[in-house]
């Protein structure tokens, strides 16, 4: 098979020939048709993610679209890498792709769509009419999160990001208001307070961490001794703006902040994950959930590795 192979952490993968993977007991062989290139893949290859490969060389990627031996179109996952034209998987790790969704779109939406769905439902337990702030809304996953928050009946959804064109597009995708992040801290503080209103946000989806999230957290401090009941569920999902931040203790005592994560360590049961993927694919097929893609040949993996087109998911096509 041909595959994108990582030989050393911090390098780009090489497109090269490898022996075909052999299906183990209970596994099937899949002919891959589309594989997304995500920030997770980049961070794992760079060695900056907690799940960076420990054995090299390694085929990267874990989620893709493909054909089973009987010709059926599926989304699947594999623990042995999917940036290739062949992989193996377990039958119970496959979800059929509906006729209304093409392979590239299906492969692109699997990870960010399910992540946004699970963040809003399983982790934040969003209720209708609650307000939502998305930090990093101009990214692929943030855009889906804005749309899904509206789909779940959120009241006010505020999209925060740097890219003015992306923020304008988010208005058309359901955002009620936008906040520019690429401004001085003082201006960002004021903009976030104004967007939050007197009651604050019920749910915050955080794809950034680092400075923007730190500025937001400091807006939560209340300088009085009034007893209140409030809850702000912040779901930590990505760290595009930094791996760490400073959290003053007073934020946690003077506000109703609850910090959760969304990732491998707190995943819902498999049937919840696959059920959410089926619903995400149905919404995409019905034109109610939009994702932009940038398909490129798998052979060009090294050239496109560091290029992340704004708001579009790069998809490698073998
Ligand atoms: N845990 C999970 O389940 C899960 C699932 C999906 C994604 N993620 C993580 O979530 C993050 C976003 O993913 P994505 O798919 O949306 O990526 P993406 O499409 O590449 O978007 C990246 C986003 O981060 C913003 N950004 C990058 N650097 C920034 C900085 N220094 N300050 C402020 N904003 C910055 C970008 O803003 P501009 O548009 O202004 O460039 C854009 O909104 C990544 O860390 C990814 O690994 C986690």
């Amino acid at each position: 098979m041909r595959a994108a192979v990582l030989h050393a952490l911090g390098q780009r993968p090489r497109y090269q020939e490898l022996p075909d993977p052999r299906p183990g007991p209970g596994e099937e062989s899949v002919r891959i048709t589309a594989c997304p290139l995500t920030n997770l893949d980049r961070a794992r290859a760079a060695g900056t993610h907690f799940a960076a490969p420990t054995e090299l060389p390694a085929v990267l990627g874990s989620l893709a679209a493909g054909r089973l031996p009987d010709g059926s179109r599926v989304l699947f996952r594999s623990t042995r890498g999917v940036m290739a034209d062949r992989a193996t998987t377990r039958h119970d790790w496959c979800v059929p792709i509906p006729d209304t969704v093409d392979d590239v779109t299906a492969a692109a939406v699997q990870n960010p769509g399910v992540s946004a769905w699970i963040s809003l439902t399983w982790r934040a337990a969003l209720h209708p009419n609650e307000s939502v702030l998305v930090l990093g809304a101009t990214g692929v996953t943030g855009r889906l999160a804005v749309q899904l928050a509206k789909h779940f009946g959120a009241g006010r959804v505020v999209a925060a990001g740097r890219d003015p064109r992306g923020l304008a597009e988010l208005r058309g995708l359901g955002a009620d208001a936008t906040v520019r992040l690429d401004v001085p801290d003082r201006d960002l503080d004021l903009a976030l307070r104004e967007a939050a209103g007197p009651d604050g946000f019920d749910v915050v989806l955080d794809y950034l961490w680092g400075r923007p999230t730190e500025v937001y957290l400091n807006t939560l401090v209340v300088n009085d001794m009034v007893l209140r009941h409030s809850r702000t569920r912040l779901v930590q999902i990505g760290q595009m703006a930094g791996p760490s931040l400073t959290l003053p203790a007073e934020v946690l005592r003077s506000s109703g902040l609850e910090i959760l994560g969304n990732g491998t360590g707190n995943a819902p049961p498999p049937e919840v994950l696959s059920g959410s993927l089926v619903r995400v694919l149905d919404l995409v097929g019905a034109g109610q959930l939009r994702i932009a893609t940038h398909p490129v040949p798998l052979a060009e993996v090294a050239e496109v590795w560091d290029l992340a087109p704004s708001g579009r998911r790069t998809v490698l096509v073998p």
Side-chain angles (χ1 to χ4, degrees), residues 247-295:
L247 177 59
E250 61 183 4
V251 173
L252 288 162
R253 293 201 311 280
S254 71
S255 77
L257 177 66
E258 299 170 17
I259 301 182
L260 306 152
N262 183 41
T264 50
N266 42 60
E271 64 275 14
V272 175
L273 280 176
S274 55
S276 66
L277 176 55
V278 169
R279 302 279 302 281
V280 162
L281 289 170
D282 284 347
L283 287 176
V284 172
Q288 293 170 23
L289 185 62
R290 287 192 233 153
I291 181 168
T293 61
H294 175 57

Side-chain angles (χ1 to χ4, degrees), residues 283-308:
L283 287 176
V284 172
Q288 293 170 23
L289 185 62
R290 287 192 233 153
I291 181 168
T293 61
H294 175 57
V296 293
L298 175 62
E300 294 174 17
V301 61
E303 288 93 306
V304 300
W305 190 256
D306 294 318
L307 307 176

